[in-house]
């Protein structure tokens, strides 16, 4: 039996079950158990929550009600917000972190009694329970993406990467800053800037891989070529590969402008099409999330095959804090941000790497660093909000603010983590030996 709060009992008394009609605000109060942490107003003239609360939501249209009623989990809220049917108050759309935090900390939905649920349905209207077309920024459900091929086939992976990474290089320059690095930074101090932290991350990867002038590095999922250029500036011959045409174009131009063409190369293509081998090191920074858990064995086998004996592999990716949850993402993240993305725990990653013969040497969790990285990306989006909206449109800019602020909260709350795992292809001789105790400064 559902436990009733004082607010629910008061609503019951005012509206006897089976005969009642509720306003939209009353419906929300019932579902929230009378514990709304913010102001809520709706197009039917009703309101709920503390009237002097600094944060608020405004439901502006019947279409928004349909989105909220038919979207499972966070998808309904996202659809209404992105479509412009739900406004937020008290926070900037480029960084709605404080509003999301208030909702996560205080809002717990309760299940009404069956009779009250019938009254709620009658009040909002049965017509609002029929799904409608989502905003055009949303990708189809996973089962409808089969036209692009099976999940994690080369064609479908290319479509997923295009959806997220080919938004606009100009937009990414505003959000990511001069480093054009779209992966977790490593902050040497609390006062470090985003660019200092990204440079420090590349230094950490470089030193973990024990790279030196004349070595060969393969960087899979290389983005805009940040790791490739960092290594090339230090005399390493670096090859990067990405499935984003926009990233490839930007990286090629920047490599030429920086005079690194003799050492650095970025190619458009799937990492599985790399034919060269014998690399001294492989870096994979932010790629594994797009691979698919069932592909981990072939992924690690392939990267190991590109290494010389004794070569090193560093895998840097977002993970879950445990290894039991189903890997596939759902809701807002899958439909608007990373189609077909999958996350699992660091234990699963390490096991799969070991099972193909790689020796795991070191691993660490940079969870708190990713929360700081997202904080700084949101600050950049807020600073360049008007230009970003002009470049990609208001709905897409909203998606990014919502996604980054929500991800920051997830990293802070240990809902997700960021692990770096360092591995070695066994050498069987002295040529592949590392120091007895490698030491890396942060």
């Amino acid at each position: 039996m559902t436990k009733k709060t004082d607010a629910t009992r008061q609503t019951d008394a005012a509206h006897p079950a089976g005969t009642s009609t509720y306003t939209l605000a009353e419906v929300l109060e019932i579902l929230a158990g009378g514990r709304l942490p913010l102001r809520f107003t709706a197009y039917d003239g009703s309101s709920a929550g503390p009237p002097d609360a600094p944060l608020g939501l405004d439901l502006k249209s019947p279409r928004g009600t349909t989105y909220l009623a038919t979207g499972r989990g966070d998808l309904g809220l996202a659809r209404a917000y992105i479509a412009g049917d739900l406004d937020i108050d008290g926070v900037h759309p480029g960084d709605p972190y404080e509003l999301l935090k208030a909702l996560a900390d205080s809002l717990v939905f309760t299940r009404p009694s069956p009779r009250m649920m019938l009254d709620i349905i009658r009040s909002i209207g049965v017509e609002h329970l029929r799904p409608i077309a989502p905003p055009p920024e949303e990708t189809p459900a996973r089962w409808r993406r089969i036209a692009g091929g099976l999940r994690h086939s080369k064609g479908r992976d290319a479509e997923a990467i295009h959806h997220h990474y080919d938004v606009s290089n100009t937009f990414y320059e505003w959000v990511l800053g001069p480093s054009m690095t779209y992966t977790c930074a490593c902050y040497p101090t609390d006062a470090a800037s985003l660019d200092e932290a990204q440079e420090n991350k590349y230094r950490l990867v470089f030193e973990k891989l024990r790279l030196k002038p004349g070595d060969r590095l393969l960087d899979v999922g290389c983005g805009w070529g940040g790791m490739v250029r960092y290594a090339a500036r230090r005399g390493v011959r670096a090859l990067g590969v990405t499935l984003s045409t926009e990233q490839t174009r930007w990286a090629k131009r920047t490599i030429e402008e920086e005079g690194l063409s003799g050492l650095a190369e970025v190619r458009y293509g799937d990492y599985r099409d790399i034919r060269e081998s014998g690399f001294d090191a492989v870096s994979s920074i932010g790629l594994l999330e797009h691979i698919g858990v069932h592909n981990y064995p072939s992924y690690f086998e392939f990267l190991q095959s590109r290494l010389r004996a004794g070569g090193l592999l560093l895998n840097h990716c977002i993970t879950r804090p445990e290894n039991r949850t189903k890997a596939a993402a759902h809701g807002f993240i899958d439909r608007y941000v990373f189609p077909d993305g999958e996350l699992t725990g660091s234990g699963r990653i390490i096991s799969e790497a070991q099972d193909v013969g790689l020796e795991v040497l070191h691993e660490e969790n940079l969870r708190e660093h990713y929360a700081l990285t997202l904080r700084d990306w949101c600050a950049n989006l807020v600073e360049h909000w008007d230009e970003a909206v002009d470049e990609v449109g208001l709905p897409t800019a909203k998606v990014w603010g919502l996604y980054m602020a929500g991800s920051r909260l997830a990293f802070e709350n240990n809902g997700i983590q960021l692990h770096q795992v360092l591995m070695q292809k066994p050498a069987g001789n002295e040529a592949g030996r590392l120091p007895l105790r490698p030491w890396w400064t942060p």
Side-chain angles (χ1 to χ4, degrees):
M1 181 177 293
T2 303
K3 183 179 180 180
K4 294 189 178 183
T5 65
D6 290 341
T8 306
R9 292 191 188 96
Q10 291 170 7
T11 303
D12 284 349
H15 304 276
T19 63
S20 308
T21 300
Y22 302 124
T23 66
L24 291 171
E26 286 173 333
V27 168
L28 182 57
E29 280 192 315
I30 293 169
L31 296 176
R35 294 184 296 271
L36 281 179
L38 41 71
R39 289 176 286 107
F40 174 78
T41 55
Y43 59 88
D44 66 352
S46 62
S47 62
D52 58 347
L55 303 172
L57 293 172
D58 180 21
L59 183 58
K60 301 177 68 65
S61 72
R63 184 177 65 175
T65 298
T66 302
Y67 281 143
L68 291 173
T70 58
R72 299 183 63 181
D74 59 2
L75 195 54
L77 181 69
R79 285 171 173 167
Y81 173 61
I82 292 162
D85 300 305
L86 183 70
D87 281 352
I88 59 177
D89 185 29
V91 292
H92 193 285
D95 187 10
Y97 168 81
E98 293 296 339
L99 186 144
L100 297 178
K101 188 174 188 302
L103 292 174
D105 289 347
S106 305
L107 188 58
V108 179
F109 285 108
T110 60
R111 182 183 294 275
S113 67
R115 292 182 66 190
M116 183 174 286
M117 197 65 207
L118 287 174
D119 286 342
I120 289 174
I121 293 172
R122 184 183 301 111
S123 299
I124 65 173
V126 175
E127 68 274 12
H128 290 300
L129 301 182
R130 290 192 288 267
I132 58 175
E137 292 73 21
E138 181 173 314
T139 60
R142 288 190 175 215
W143 65 270
R144 295 181 60 192
R145 298 175 200 159
I146 194 67
L150 296 176
R151 193 188 316 171
H152 301 301
S153 63
K154 290 181 180 179
R156 185 155 155 181
D157 279 352
E159 287 187 8
I161 295 301
H162 170 73
H163 173 83
H164 189 71
Y165 294 97
D166 287 342
V167 175
S168 159
N169 283 334
T170 301
F171 175 80
Y172 276 109
E173 286 172 345
W174 286 324
V175 173
L176 305 181
S179 75
M180 282 295 275
T181 301
Y182 185 36
T183 48
C184 175
C186 184
Y187 287 72
T189 67
D190 290 341
S193 70
L194 174 61
D195 289 334
E196 289 170 339
Q198 291 292 14
E199 182 82 357
N200 192 54
K201 185 266 298 295
Y202 287 133
R203 181 170 72 92
L204 180 64
V205 173
F206 190 91
E207 292 183 3
K208 282 183 175 181
L209 291 174
R210 294 183 58 76
L211 289 165
K212 60 186 183 301
D215 282 350
R216 296 172 63 222
L217 169 69
L218 171 63
D219 186 36
V220 292
C222 68
W224 288 269
M227 186 68 214
V228 168
R229 288 180 289 115
Y230 183 95
R233 287 194 292 267
R234 287 153 183 81
V236 172
R237 291 173 292 163
L239 169 63
V241 60
T242 173
L243 273 171
S244 165
T245 55
E246 289 295 300
Q247 288 178 339
T248 304
R249 181 172 61 84
W250 192 96
K252 285 179 176 292
R253 185 188 73 240
T254 305
I255 286 170
E256 184 175 348
E257 291 173 352
E258 294 182 3
L260 298 172
S261 298
L263 291 170
E265 178 188 356
V266 167
R267 293 179 191 167
Y268 171 79
D270 193 288
Y271 77 95
R272 290 165 285 194
D273 293 331
I274 292 294
R275 295 288 174 259
E276 295 92 332
S277 61
F279 289 94
D280 298 285
V282 173
S283 53
S284 176
I285 306 175
L287 175 62
L288 195 67
E289 300 92 330
H290 303 288
I291 294 298
V293 173
H294 74 281
N295 288 324
Y296 283 7
S298 59
Y299 165 81
F300 283 118
E301 283 178 354
F302 180 84
L303 296 187
Q304 181 175 222
S305 74
R306 302 302 94 184
L307 286 167
R308 64 165 174 80
L312 295 170
L313 163 63
L314 184 134
N315 192 88
H316 165 124
C317 71
I318 301 171
T319 65
R320 298 191 188 277
E322 37 73 27
N323 301 281
R324 300 180 302 274
T325 305
K326 186 177 179 181
H330 296 281
F332 168 68
I333 289 294
D334 181 61
R335 297 291 189 91
Y336 286 90
V337 186
F338 293 115
D340 293 337
E342 295 183 9
L343 300 181
T344 189
S346 59
R348 176 73 180 272
I349 294 168
I350 289 172
S351 295
E352 297 286 3
Q354 291 173 326
D355 286 348
V356 303
L358 288 161
E359 181 181 3
V360 175
L361 305 175
H362 183 269
E363 76 88 26
E364 65 175 310
N365 182 9
L366 299 178
R367 174 180 65 82
E368 294 171 315
H369 293 263
Y370 217 154
L372 296 174
T373 306
L374 287 154
R375 175 202 64 186
D376 290 347
W377 286 344
C378 278
N380 284 344
L381 180 56
V382 170
E383 181 181 354
H384 297 284
W385 181 253
D386 291 340
E387 300 100 318
V389 170
D390 286 344
E391 179 71 15
V392 300
L394 180 59
T396 297
K398 283 182 174 181
V399 167
W400 277 81
L402 186 62
Y403 140 65
M404 293 193 297
S407 296
R408 174 188 171 185
L409 190 62
F411 279 108
E412 289 180 346
N413 293 339
N414 197 31
I416 46 178
Q417 300 177 346
L418 188 289
H419 280 262
Q420 283 192 353
V421 181
L422 179 66
M423 303 160 248
Q424 183 176 33
K425 180 177 182 177
N429 56 50
E430 295 297 308
R433 285 196 61 186
L434 295 171
L436 288 176
R437 176 61 178 87
W439 187 263
W440 302 285
T441 55

